[in-house]
Amino acid sequence: CDSRGCPACSGSCRGSVPVLVPCRGLGSSARSAREDSWLKSLFVRKVDPRKDAHSNLLAKRETSSLYKLQFHNVKPECLEAYNKLCQEVLPKIHEEKHYPCALVGTWNTWYGEQDQAVHLWRYEGGYPALNEVMSKLRQNKEFTEFRKERGNMLLSRKNQLLLEFSFWNEPVPRDGPNIYELRSYQLRPGTMIEWGNYWARAIRFRQDSNEAVGGFFSQIGQLYMVHHLWAYKDLQTREDIRNAAWHKPGWDELVYYTVPLIQEMESRIMIPLKISPLQ
């Protein structure tokens, strides 16, 4: 190969734009790995070193709220009973001033993973509030019985503790009817700051129809997870709003630079339960 023009060799490329030239001495797997690494370097921008946690740089400073996102996979034959039980018990926790927490929203997944319930809680006061609620609930016999009965209806469950992005809307109750989309992104480790920098600009393209509900990033549980919560009148309105964003100058560029930061992504379309403050 020409060592002055091949990015796999030690020489520097003669042109201003590197060109991939096959090297005879490299195996196909090694060459593929080198080319993949080189291509990634073109599309993923470098982030300046930081001397603070991304939670301090990206989260709202005016509040100390902590969020918990729960995913419950329910036995198909138990979903109706599960919803009924939650609608009887969860409002008692949400409305009781004795507990420093609030139910932000509760849904069933409509499109996405089936027979799934999603709950979003806010703990005003951060980790101390969470600890206080958990301690008091362990002494609540009604809640203990609720957890036992609920457990018999579940196939699996998981949760995450989240902070909200400083540039997103505060999730507040809204009237319905609406459908909700929870878009979840598994980011490449080390890219959360870069994601936040891009979305701090991108969010302004998605405010015209009041569809932006909340944006969060994980602290405990599956890490480097981002969740964007959106509200729409129906699926066609969702399609129209998303398509309209592409006609706004700058949106395409921000999408272009955020896509390489993502390892996996998932979309859930959800229907709120009757007790959900987000309707």
Side-chain angles (χ1 to χ4, degrees):
C1 68
D2 182 353
S3 63
R4 293 171 297 171
C6 177
C9 298
S10 59
S12 59
C13 295
R14 287 178 290 181
S16 59
V17 178
V19 178
L20 285 176
V21 179
C23 297
R24 295 173 184 171
L26 292 176
S28 60
S29 60
R31 183 170 64 248
S32 176
R34 287 175 180 268
E35 292 175 3
D36 181 63
S37 177
W38 178 76
L39 287 170
K40 286 178 181 177
S41 71
L42 290 180
F43 295 106
V44 181
R45 293 185 173 180
K46 302 298 182 183
V47 181
D48 293 334
R50 302 282 180 172
K51 295 185 178 180
D52 202 355
H54 64 245
S55 58
N56 294 331
L57 296 170
L58 295 174
K60 283 186 169 67
R61 293 184 180 274
E62 63 272 19
T63 66
S64 58
S65 294
L66 181 71
Y67 289 81
K68 180 168 69 175
L69 185 61
Q70 298 175 300
F71 299 98
H72 291 171
N73 292 318
V74 185
K75 297 175 182 178
E77 68 273 15
C78 296
L79 185 60
E80 184 176 350
Y82 172 93
N83 287 340
K84 182 179 179 181
L85 182 64
C86 287
Q87 291 179 140
E88 291 174 354
V89 177
L90 295 188
K92 297 178 182 179
I93 302 172
H94 168 66
E95 297 168 1
E96 175 57 61
K97 296 181 180 180
H98 187 58
Y99 299 108
C101 67
L103 182 64
V104 177
T106 178
W107 305 267
N108 285 159
T109 300
W110 184 23
Y111 289 103
E113 195 161 354
Q114 296 294 281
D115 303 306
Q116 185 180 70
V118 180
H119 310 289
L120 180 62
W121 294 86
R122 180 194 296 115
Y123 297 87
E124 299 177 5
Y127 292 106
L130 172 67
N131 292 336
E132 180 182 347
V133 171
M134 295 298 101
S135 177
K136 289 178 177 178
L137 287 178
R138 281 193 290 268
Q139 302 173 34
N140 185 322
K141 292 183 178 179
E142 183 180 11
F143 184 77
T144 301
E145 290 300 318
F146 160 73
R147 281 177 56 91
K148 182 178 180 181
E149 186 175 355
R150 184 189 67 184
N152 294 329
M153 303 178 183
L154 300 181
L155 293 170
S156 65
R157 61 193 179 101
K158 69 175 183 178
N159 59 26
Q160 296 174 353
L161 293 180
L162 315 168
L163 296 177
E164 56 183 330
F165 284 110
S166 61
F167 48 84
W168 265 80
N169 301 352
E170 181 82 15
V172 295
R174 65 171 66 198
D175 296 330
N178 296 293
I179 62 171
Y180 290 81
E181 181 176 19
L182 182 65
R183 296 180 69 87
S184 302
Y185 303 88
Q186 177 68 62
L187 301 186
R188 298 181 183 279
T191 62
M192 186 67 73
I193 296 293
E194 194 170 3
W195 177 275
N197 287 339
Y198 285 127
W199 264 97
R201 289 178 283 159
I203 191 63
R204 71 177 187 269
F205 293 99
R206 299 296 308 276
Q207 298 282 11
D208 293 348
S209 301
N210 194 33
E211 72 268 24
V213 177
F216 313 91
F217 59 99
S218 62
Q219 289 289 283
I220 296 179
Q222 192 170 356
L223 298 179
Y224 284 96
M225 284 292 300
V226 168
H227 301 282
H228 292 175
L229 184 61
W230 309 91
Y232 304 101
K233 180 181 178 182
D234 50 40
L235 288 174
Q236 185 58 55
T237 302
R238 169 188 176 273
E239 182 75 2
D240 295 341
I241 289 174
R242 288 176 57 81
N243 286 340
W246 289 97
H247 298 286
K248 300 175 181 179
W251 171 256
D252 56 342
E253 180 182 1
L254 290 166
V255 172
Y256 176 84
Y257 285 121
T258 55
V259 166
L261 309 180
I262 302 170
Q263 287 186 327
E264 295 181 12
M265 58 187 297
E266 182 178 6
S267 170
R268 292 175 175 84
I269 301 297
M270 308 183 302
I271 304 298
L273 299 185
K274 293 180 180 179
I275 60 170
S276 177
L278 289 169
Q279 284 294 313

